Amino acid sequence: MLVAFSLTPMGVEAGVAGYIADAVKIIRESGLPNRSDSMYTMIEGEWDDIMDIIKQATEAVAAKAPRIQLNIKADIWPDMPAPLDGKIALLEQRITDTTPDPASPPG
């Protein structure tokens, strides 16, 4: 399972790095494969493990911010090994593959 989520502290100044740092630290220390960018954090793992980490991260932000928006998007693909990197590998393979895509209409 791959989950992308974002925590947005509300009612605080425009710069939120100080509010999010503790959450990212929890995620990184979880041992689950993860990646953060400027908009989302992605975590790979089992449902309960991921949701527990999201809960801990949310609580860390809640300790500093009066309100939080939490957005979660999940990709549940049981046959995809290592979806954090596997989905990108599939995309890269398709980009470099010169054979016609069977899903594309001819012409």
Side-chain angles (χ1 to χ4, degrees):
M1 175 177 192
L2 182 62
V3 173
F5 76 101
S6 65
L7 291 164
T8 306
M10 306 297 289
V12 299
E13 64 272 5
V16 297
Y19 295 90
I20 299 298
D22 291 339
V24 173
K25 190 174 188 179
I26 289 166
I27 295 159
R28 288 181 179 173
E29 291 174 353
S30 74
L32 296 177
N34 65 84
R35 183 176 301 134
S36 295
D37 62 30
S38 59
M39 300 224 7
Y40 287 94
T41 293
M42 291 174 284
I43 303 176
E44 177 186 310
E46 297 299 319
W47 181 271
D48 291 338
D49 296 333
I50 291 172
M51 292 303 149
D52 182 53
I53 297 304
I54 291 174
K55 180 180 179 186
Q56 289 179 47
T58 302
E59 289 171 345
V61 177
K64 295 180 178 180
R67 180 178 164 204
I68 303 160
Q69 285 187 351
L70 169 63
N71 293 297
I72 302 174
K73 182 175 182 177
D75 187 352
I76 303 164
W77 189 354
D79 295 333
M80 169 54 72
L84 187 64
D85 295 320
K87 288 177 70 173
I88 297 299
L90 279 176
L91 175 64
E92 293 296 335
Q93 179 182 354
R94 292 290 174 117
I95 290 169
T96 58
D97 189 0
T98 57
T99 59
D101 185 348
S104 298

